[in-house]
Amino acid sequence: MATKKKAEKEAEKAIAAARTAVEEAQRLVKKLDKKARKEADELAAALAQAEKDAKKVLRRTEKTQRHAAQAARERAAAAATPSSTGIPTFRDLRDRAKARGIQGYSRMNKAQLLHALGEG
């Protein structure tokens, strides 16, 4: 019987040690869960910042494209206007003659248009 009691005591000690080990493991898992949650929160914050930065870059790119398009339109408009010498272009003279209702403007050359408009 003594050996049976001794075996029971050793079994109880082993069970107690196993319970302690399980409790320690559970505590460590909770700790890991907290650490994992903290890391997940940090990653979520980093992702939100990256998304914010990407939107900012997109807005800047769109703004740059709008400015480039506006500059291209301004260059095209500058090319279509009379030269800086003050002499109007043939197309400009035809448009002005048409607006004034001058007959035969479509068959006139630049000199004739200038004369008809009273500028030559």
Side-chain angles (χ1 to χ4, degrees):
M1 256 247 208
T3 56
K4 189 175 182 182
K5 283 190 174 190
K6 188 175 180 183
E8 286 177 359
K9 283 186 177 182
E10 286 179 17
E12 286 177 8
K13 283 183 182 178
I15 290 173
R19 279 191 188 131
T20 304
V22 167
E23 289 171 359
E24 179 67 16
Q26 287 175 335
R27 187 182 64 77
L28 290 173
V29 166
K30 284 182 183 179
K31 195 174 191 179
L32 284 176
D33 285 346
K34 287 179 185 178
K35 186 177 180 181
R37 274 182 285 191
K38 183 179 178 183
E39 287 178 7
D41 290 343
E42 289 172 356
L43 287 173
L47 178 63
Q49 183 63 40
E51 184 179 4
K52 184 178 175 182
D53 292 344
K55 286 180 181 179
K56 189 182 223 182
V57 167
L58 181 62
R59 284 192 308 269
R60 285 181 180 169
T61 302
E62 289 170 349
K63 186 177 179 181
T64 301
Q65 288 174 343
R66 283 193 308 268
H67 284 302
Q70 177 65 27
R73 285 191 298 273
E74 289 173 1
R75 283 191 302 272
T81 58
S83 63
S84 61
T85 61
I87 300 171
T89 63
F90 176 72
R91 187 174 302 268
D92 184 45
L93 291 172
R94 282 188 60 180
D95 291 342
R96 288 175 27 203
K98 181 179 180 180
R100 287 193 191 174
I102 297 173
Q103 291 185 357
Y105 74 91
S106 63
R107 291 183 300 273
M108 295 181 186
N109 62 26
K110 189 171 181 177
Q112 291 168 331
L113 285 168
L114 283 168
H115 182 70
L117 290 168
E119 297 179 14

